[in-house]
Amino acid sequence: MYKIAILALQGAFAEHQQMLLRLGVESLLIRNRRDWDSFISGSDKENRGLIIPGGESTTMTRLLHDLDLWDAVREAIIGGMTVFGTCAGLIMLDSAHLDVMNITARRNAYGRQLGSFMTTDSFGKDVIPMTFIRAPYIEKVGEGVEVLSEVDGKIVAARQKNMLVTAFHPELNEDLTVHKYFLSLIH
């Protein structure tokens, strides 16, 4: 049985929770350090994961520091906790932020809100719907990073060990492919 924490500081955390519910997976919204400590101290440490949703990476960075979550979240990821970052969550995992994934993100790469779009493209061997909202893309990948998806020559999904990122929002579509893939990474 999985237990997934969803960082609920801003962004589409409720939509991620609904996707997990559709898959029969328990989740806990993390709004403060007490929530995080409760999640971490539970008995089943093997089947845990964390979702960092979209939102605004500057605001998330500030809130993670203000709520005394920055180091705890970073240490859990470095310690092997499986994490899935979407949009701003992708940015949060890159070398300029939490510095846990060997990627460099380009923020707001597709422009402002008016530059948002939907498409379908490959994610691994599947073709899935992808919703991009003020989305980043991955400018550079380093050693150990597997590219999972590209749209118009831009990297929009990647994996490195226990970390999965998408520049798009799979939680805003009905397709469960990406969330199933995330769960498959959890040991």
Side-chain angles (χ1 to χ4, degrees):
M1 188 65 166
Y2 300 108
K3 186 161 185 183
I4 307 300
I6 304 170
L7 199 59
L9 305 179
Q10 66 166 158
F13 56 86
E15 289 83 352
H16 278 290
Q17 191 172 44
Q18 287 302 312
M19 296 298 267
L20 293 173
L21 189 61
R22 288 179 53 206
L23 292 167
V25 175
E26 182 182 352
S27 62
L28 171 70
L29 297 179
I30 305 296
R31 298 179 190 277
N32 53 50
R33 182 59 188 252
R34 185 178 53 234
D35 293 340
W36 179 260
D37 290 343
S38 173
F39 173 70
I40 291 298
S41 67
S43 59
D44 185 7
K45 300 190 185 312
E46 294 300 311
N47 294 320
R48 294 186 188 184
L50 171 65
I51 294 177
I52 304 176
E56 208 290 308
S57 59
T58 303
T59 301
M60 266 194 240
T61 297
R62 182 180 50 79
L63 288 170
L64 282 170
H65 283 293
D66 290 350
L67 297 169
D68 191 31
L69 286 166
W70 183 270
D71 290 333
V73 167
R74 187 172 190 278
E75 287 169 15
I77 297 167
I78 290 170
M81 180 181 285
T82 304
V83 63
F84 173 25
T86 61
C87 199
L90 176 154
I91 294 167
M92 294 303 298
L93 296 177
D94 86 349
S95 58
H97 292 82
L98 284 166
D99 191 24
V100 291
M101 193 166 180
N102 198 2
I103 59 172
T104 303
R106 176 145 182 220
R107 296 178 66 201
N108 299 324
Y110 293 101
R112 299 189 181 279
Q113 196 77 15
L114 293 176
S116 300
F117 66 98
M118 292 180 69
T119 189
T120 55
D121 216 307
S122 297
F123 178 84
K125 62 182 188 264
D126 298 302
V127 174
I128 63 168
M130 298 177 177
T131 301
F132 293 84
I133 302 172
R134 292 182 57 215
Y137 62 73
I138 300 171
E139 270 188 323
K140 180 178 158 190
V141 297
E143 187 176 330
V145 177
E146 175 188 2
V147 173
L148 300 173
S149 188
E150 293 184 47
V151 172
D152 297 329
K154 308 284 192 242
I155 302 168
V156 297
R159 174 189 173 196
Q160 181 181 355
K161 296 180 185 172
N162 57 309
M163 297 168 281
L164 169 66
V165 291
T166 62
F168 55 92
H169 292 270
E171 75 282 7
L172 299 181
N173 300 300
E174 294 297 315
D175 188 278
L176 295 169
T177 302
V178 179
H179 286 82
K180 286 179 181 176
Y181 183 80
F182 164 62
L183 294 174
S184 78
L185 301 177
I186 298 173
H187 313 325

